[in-house]
Amino acid sequence: MFLSMNWISDFVDLSGLDKMELIRKFSLSTAEVENEIFFKGSDFSGIVVAEIKEIEDHPKSEKLHLLKVDIGEAELVDVVCGAPNVRVGMKTAFAKVGARLGEIEIAPRPLAGFMSNGMCCSEKEIGISDDNSGIMDILEDVKNGTDIKDLYEIDDIVFEVDNKSLTNRPDLWGHYGIAREFASLAGRELKPLPQVDLSQYDNLPKIDLKIEDDLCQRYSCLQVANIKKNVSPVNMRIRLFYCGMRGINLLADLTNYIMLEMGQPTHAFDGNKIDEIKIGTPEESCKFTTLDNTERDITTDTLLIKNATTPVAIAGIMGGLDSEIVDGTTSVVLESANFDGTSIRKTALALGMRTDASGKFEKNIDPMMTVPAVERACELVELLGCGDVMDGMVDIINYVPAPKTVKLEPEKINALLGTDISREDMVKYLALLEVPVDGDDIQVPSWRPDLNLMADIAEEVGRSFGYNEIPTTQLKMAAKGGYSPKMLFESACGNACRALGYNEIIPYSFVSPEIFDRIRLPENSALRNPMRIQNPLGEDTSVMRTTALPSMLDILSRNM
């Protein structure tokens, strides 16, 4: 998962702090940061806003154009450009003479017989998207000659976190949760997430919603109409691109933005194709075409989002092609839901289509996040001026996490850590992580399902205190141990076999059905009737082996 320091800084003031040192502390205390850190925008300079004033066709080329551009200086600049989207009055990103694009320094040079004094740039060439279809089209009303970095958030520090280190922390699957950790590390306040109070729309009509299966733990939705824009702001697209996603259109980008920010997947349906929503499994198997234009085989175990009886999405995994948001969409239904993690994992495996959304639902994210995600989405809709909320929010919840408390036991925590941390400091560390303490009771937030025992609290205290600050001490009790008779016998057998020249192998117990043909096992052999695994990782590991011979031959051939 890629994370943007600019995005994190929206929610915690990191001014005056060494951000690289904070990333190092985060890696030591919270989750493993991969080795490479990306300093976005640092490899280019001298890119300014330029306006195309004149265009002439190149006399000897059908693709090239001769431009005169205004870069905010006394004279217009002559440029040769082959982009198909050039037009008079267009503002674009322009690399002046002396500018740097990675390892390239821009200098005057002849192109097809004419001197080009700079370069009009695509978004891909300045590293803010993968769009290289034409030069960048700047829609903002901005002065010619403005440095592109003063216009957009291009300079950023992006780091990657190993997803495996976040498996038990669903609260860290978005920038806001990560910002909470950085606030704790920096000893600074976490800012509230900007949201709209949706109670103001309670008097509006509401979408007809019915949950027919408890596998849907919560479903929140409302309708936004009068869609006025279909192109996302450049800064939004930059953040999505830096974090590994491409821009699609404003509404699709908005749902991806919410997911990367809050860790809560959302989805937008074409509002003109939604009359009533029902969530449940189908009565019989059917075919369904998903957004990737692939027809899927849907079984009676698959949880679906339906418009009445017509499927419009595979719950928690992917929407349908028929209800896709397109450039002409004028109304959308915003969905924010929570589904049973085990059900989503089984469906994703059965269909072979693990997505960003399913990967989060599998971790049993907090069902209390659905409404804040809708509130945040509506806040962005208002901020961007791209539509109007037309319905009151419908929110049906089938599962509320039971309130959970853990005792704060400073003496036991210090004994476990080998520290002498005061109770006051423990309370302060927990408060910075937004884990409140009431007397001796720690009120565990719904978004921290990993906090269950005193040892879990000790881990929070220890990492906030700093693992490297815990003094090294000797164990205060002698370790006792020994081998059981069974262990001694197995060890003796192993030693005897090795003395006779044998080698020990420990292969997997599950194999591919093809191994029976590879060892030429007769068709009528009882060994050809293995036990199949219900949810295999793949066909190569789909059955339990009935003979060790193929594993031995496979390892022998690989070693040879």
Side-chain angles (χ1 to χ4, degrees):
M1 182 170 69
F2 292 98
L3 295 159
S4 156
M5 286 301 292
N6 283 349
W7 209 334
I8 291 169
S9 298
D10 282 354
F11 308 119
V12 55
D13 180 12
L14 300 179
S15 58
L17 301 177
D18 185 337
K19 292 181 180 178
M20 291 300 296
E21 177 62 16
L22 283 174
I23 293 173
R24 188 189 73 83
K25 287 182 177 180
F26 176 85
S27 187
L28 290 173
S29 68
T30 307
E32 180 184 353
V33 175
E34 301 290 350
N35 290 331
E36 188 173 6
I37 295 177
F38 305 92
F39 296 90
K40 298 291 186 178
S42 63
D43 58 347
F44 78 82
S45 61
I47 314 297
V48 300
V49 175
E51 182 179 354
I52 299 174
K53 292 294 189 179
E54 298 178 21
I55 302 176
E56 290 185 24
D57 292 332
H58 193 288
K60 297 181 180 180
S61 172
E62 294 183 359
K63 294 183 177 181
L64 295 179
H65 307 281
L66 306 178
L67 311 182
K68 288 187 180 294
V69 300
D70 179 357
I71 62 172
E73 297 180 357
E75 297 182 358
L76 300 181
V77 177
D78 293 317
V79 183
V80 181
C81 179
N85 63 329
V86 294
R87 67 180 187 274
V88 173
M90 177 185 188
K91 292 195 175 186
T92 189
F94 184 78
K96 302 190 299 182
V97 171
R100 295 199 65 85
L101 290 170
E103 297 180 356
I104 300 172
E105 182 173 347
I106 302 299
R109 66 188 183 102
L111 283 175
F114 290 83
M115 186 62 69
S116 184
N117 298 293
M119 184 175 82
C120 296
C121 302
S122 68
E123 292 187 359
K124 183 175 183 178
E125 286 166 330
I126 61 175
I128 62 172
S129 85
D130 57 4
D131 184 4
N132 201 32
S133 60
I135 58 175
M136 185 177 182
D137 193 354
I138 296 176
L139 302 178
E140 287 82 0
D141 183 13
V142 61
K143 183 179 178 181
N144 297 337
T146 300
D147 192 301
I148 199 79
K149 292 185 178 182
D150 293 334
L151 182 60
Y152 303 123
E153 291 183 355
I154 293 175
D155 284 334
D156 198 358
I157 300 174
V158 175
F159 60 98
E160 185 179 5
V161 172
D162 183 354
N163 287 355
K164 295 190 294 295
S165 62
L166 302 177
T167 299
N168 70 326
R169 291 289 305 274
D171 60 303
L172 297 183
W173 286 80
H175 279 78
Y176 192 70
I178 298 291
R180 184 182 291 113
E181 294 290 316
F182 273 82
S184 175
L185 292 171
R188 295 187 175 180
E189 182 181 357
L190 180 70
K191 300 175 185 177
L193 193 70
Q195 295 168 321
V196 167
D197 181 5
L198 295 179
S199 63
Q200 62 185 300
Y201 305 116
D202 285 348
N203 61 335
L204 296 177
K206 297 182 180 180
I207 296 172
D208 186 7
L209 171 66
K210 184 178 181 181
I211 298 178
E212 301 174 329
D213 197 303
D214 289 343
L215 292 176
C216 178
Q217 298 180 157
R218 188 171 192 174
Y219 198 93
S220 310
C221 67
L222 54 68
Q223 187 171 29
V224 175
N226 303 326
I227 304 301
K228 307 175 185 71
K229 298 179 181 179
N230 60 15
V231 179
S232 304
V234 175
N235 281 334
M236 176 180 282
R237 289 190 281 117
I238 289 174
R239 287 189 175 183
L240 291 174
F241 182 68
Y242 284 179
C243 293
M245 288 189 168
R246 64 180 181 87
I248 303 172
N249 56 53
L250 177 55
L251 296 166
D253 293 350
L254 185 68
T255 60
N256 286 332
Y257 192 87
I258 295 294
M259 181 173 66
L260 290 178
E261 184 172 85
M262 301 180 64
Q264 168 66 46
T266 59
H267 186 69
F269 300 103
D270 189 322
N272 295 321
K273 299 177 181 178
I274 301 294
D275 299 310
E276 57 177 312
I277 295 176
K278 292 184 179 180
I279 302 101
T281 54
E283 294 182 359
E284 56 185 28
S285 298
C286 60
K287 301 285 188 180
F288 179 66
T289 303
T290 46
L291 281 171
D292 56 359
N293 201 21
T294 301
E295 188 175 69
R296 310 284 180 178
D297 293 316
I298 303 301
T299 68
T300 55
D301 295 325
T302 305
L303 190 65
L304 297 175
I305 312 297
K306 297 174 286 185
N307 176 35
T309 58
T310 304
V312 292
I314 302 174
I317 299 177
M318 187 177 287
L321 189 64
D322 287 344
S323 59
E324 178 185 17
I325 302 300
V326 295
D327 289 345
T329 298
T330 59
S331 170
V332 297
V333 173
L334 285 174
E335 164 201 280
S336 178
N338 188 279
F339 306 103
D340 176 76
T342 301
S343 169
I344 298 300
R345 183 169 60 253
K346 287 182 177 179
T347 300
L349 278 171
L351 295 174
M353 54 180 303
R354 199 165 186 271
T355 61
D356 289 324
S358 70
K360 290 176 171 56
F361 284 124
E362 287 173 12
K363 306 300 184 296
N364 292 311
I365 58 178
D366 182 12
M368 311 313 288
M369 286 292 291
T370 63
V371 171
V374 175
E375 293 172 335
R376 174 59 169 154
C378 290
E379 194 272 341
L380 288 171
V381 166
E382 289 189 2
L383 181 68
L384 300 176
C386 60
D388 303 307
V389 175
M390 298 301 291
D391 287 338
M393 185 178 67
V394 184
D395 177 39
I396 297 179
I397 182 166
N398 288 329
Y399 168 69
V400 178
K404 185 168 53 176
T405 61
V406 180
K407 290 292 182 184
L408 177 63
E409 301 175 282
E411 290 185 2
K412 290 185 178 180
I413 291 173
N414 279 323
L416 185 62
L417 294 176
T419 55
D420 188 22
I421 303 171
S422 67
R423 184 186 187 282
E424 290 73 20
D425 282 344
M426 292 184 185
V427 172
K428 181 185 72 174
Y429 295 147
L430 293 171
L432 286 170
L433 292 167
E434 294 197 323
V435 179
V437 180
D438 182 10
D440 290 332
D441 291 331
I442 298 168
Q443 310 296 327
V444 179
S446 61
W447 38 265
R448 287 302 303 271
D450 57 305
L451 300 182
N452 298 293
L453 307 169
M454 181 276 294
D456 300 326
I457 303 302
E459 181 180 4
E460 298 303 294
V461 171
R463 66 190 187 89
S464 297
F465 177 72
Y467 291 136
N468 56 328
E469 299 297 327
I470 297 176
T472 302
T473 57
Q474 290 188 340
L475 290 173
K476 296 181 179 179
M477 61 188 305
K480 297 180 181 179
Y483 292 106
S484 67
K486 180 183 177 183
M487 294 167 67
L488 289 170
F489 177 73
E490 289 177 347
S491 178
C493 289
N495 290 336
C497 289
R498 280 185 284 273
L500 294 172
Y502 287 92
N503 290 297
E504 182 179 13
I505 62 170
I506 310 177
Y508 289 119
S509 299
F510 29 89
V511 294
S512 168
E514 296 178 357
I515 57 122
F516 304 122
D517 293 329
R518 293 173 63 189
I519 62 172
R520 302 177 185 176
L521 198 66
E523 290 291 337
N524 60 355
S525 172
L527 296 179
R528 276 187 174 269
N529 187 29
M531 181 182 294
R532 291 197 64 85
I533 299 172
Q534 285 189 348
N535 294 305
L537 296 174
E539 186 64 19
D540 289 342
T541 54
S542 60
V543 299
M544 301 298 293
R545 71 181 181 199
T546 56
T547 169
L549 179 60
S551 299
M552 297 166 68
L553 291 174
D554 182 56
I555 289 174
L556 179 63
S557 64
R558 191 182 313 149
N559 288 341
M560 289 183 67

